[in-house]
Amino acid sequence: MVEAVELPPHRFAELIAPAVDRAFVAGMLAGRDGGGAELSSRYGGPAATGFLVEFRTRLAAPGGTVDGPGFAAVTRYRDAAACRRAVDKQVAYGMLQRVPDGGFCATERGLAFLDELYGVHAEVTEELWAGHDDRVARLVTALGRVLAYALLLAEDDEPGAFSTMAPPHEPAGTPPGVLLLNRLGTLRYHRADAHAAAWTAAGHTATSIAELAPGPERLAIEQETDRRAAGPYTVLTAEERLAVLADLAALPG
């Protein structure tokens, strides 16, 4: 009977986006309030750690580097000069270092911060989602399949935010809550690229789309975003798509 429910991938892409955002933001806020802010302050505060937190799942990986185009894609809605200055500050704090192609990677001090940050996220997600072990495990498995298929589909695409952040760094022994938090975060970049492709095709820029008021044109762009974001979800059955929505909705936060 579940298979008869009309939940095509593009409709699922529309419904899952706010559910993913809610769960991810809840986890990140818990991390900030549950020790992340104090940890950041020990390393110099947000001015020293901001991009380490944002790019943590790439920079924490062995040899993890963020290149120039990838950085630009992830920060596409922000002032480019201000972002470059922010990287310069974090280099000055000894948390990041430049690489020859214009990108950056974490220093030893930056890697130490990321190791502690993963620990904070392990503690807070265990507390935040306590009693939902089965639900978290199901979501980790389902989103792992979605991300793997998204990477496969993106092999011939132009580099973007998703290819910069995926796959997330998941060292052996990573707790399920951290796996879920980081898979949710990485999945958001897939939709971000779909949205950018949709508004670019409609003749917009990052500035003009941010200023576009609600109405038929924005609705059309959002619908095109759903269509472009839908591909990875075809790896899930209709029953699995419904289960993912239900599990995300039931998570505290």
Side-chain angles (χ1 to χ4, degrees):
M1 292 298 294
V2 175
E3 293 288 353
V5 174
E6 292 189 9
L7 189 59
H10 72 275
R11 175 61 174 155
F12 181 74
E14 175 189 4
L15 294 174
I16 196 176
V20 165
D21 286 349
R22 185 190 73 86
F24 174 74
V25 170
M28 292 301 291
L29 289 177
R32 182 197 66 188
D33 298 338
E38 186 277 332
L39 170 63
S40 176
S41 70
R42 287 197 281 109
Y43 281 85
T49 64
F51 284 131
L52 278 160
V53 175
E54 185 169 4
F55 291 90
R56 67 194 178 283
T57 59
R58 169 53 65 93
L59 295 176
T65 301
V66 176
D67 62 22
F71 182 68
V74 172
T75 60
R76 57 170 61 98
Y77 298 107
R78 288 172 256 176
D79 180 80
C83 287
R84 288 193 294 271
R85 289 194 297 271
V87 172
D88 290 340
K89 287 183 180 179
Q90 288 167 52
V91 169
Y93 272 102
M95 303 297 282
L96 298 177
Q97 62 185 27
R98 297 284 188 181
V99 296
D101 67 359
F104 57 84
C105 63
T107 62
E108 289 189 13
R109 180 174 171 80
L111 289 171
F113 168 78
L114 290 173
D115 184 61
E116 290 192 64
L117 182 64
Y118 266 66
V120 168
H121 287 167
E123 293 177 3
V124 299
T125 55
E126 182 179 11
E127 180 178 352
L128 178 64
W129 296 324
H132 295 267
D133 294 356
D134 290 346
R135 185 166 284 117
V136 168
R138 287 195 299 269
L139 286 167
V140 166
T141 298
L143 296 184
R145 290 170 56 205
V146 170
L147 286 173
Y149 194 44
L151 281 166
L152 182 64
L153 294 175
E155 283 183 350
D156 297 326
D157 292 346
E158 291 293 323
F162 179 69
S163 61
T164 298
M165 305 300 270
H169 178 52
E170 299 176 345
T174 301
V178 179
L179 293 177
L180 178 57
L181 178 69
N182 290 338
R183 290 182 186 187
L184 288 167
T186 305
L187 193 57
R188 296 170 86 231
Y189 290 107
H190 182 271
R191 184 174 180 86
D193 283 347
H195 187 50
W199 54 249
T200 298
H204 281 279
T205 64
T207 299
S208 67
I209 191 63
E211 297 172 348
L212 183 63
E217 185 180 7
R218 177 168 282 281
L219 177 60
I221 291 171
E222 294 301 328
Q223 290 174 335
E224 177 63 10
T225 299
D226 295 334
R227 187 190 69 78
R228 291 174 180 264
Y233 299 119
T234 61
V235 77
L236 302 177
T237 65
E239 180 178 12
E240 288 170 331
R241 291 195 287 270
L242 286 171
V244 166
L245 284 177
D247 283 337
L248 284 172
L251 285 181

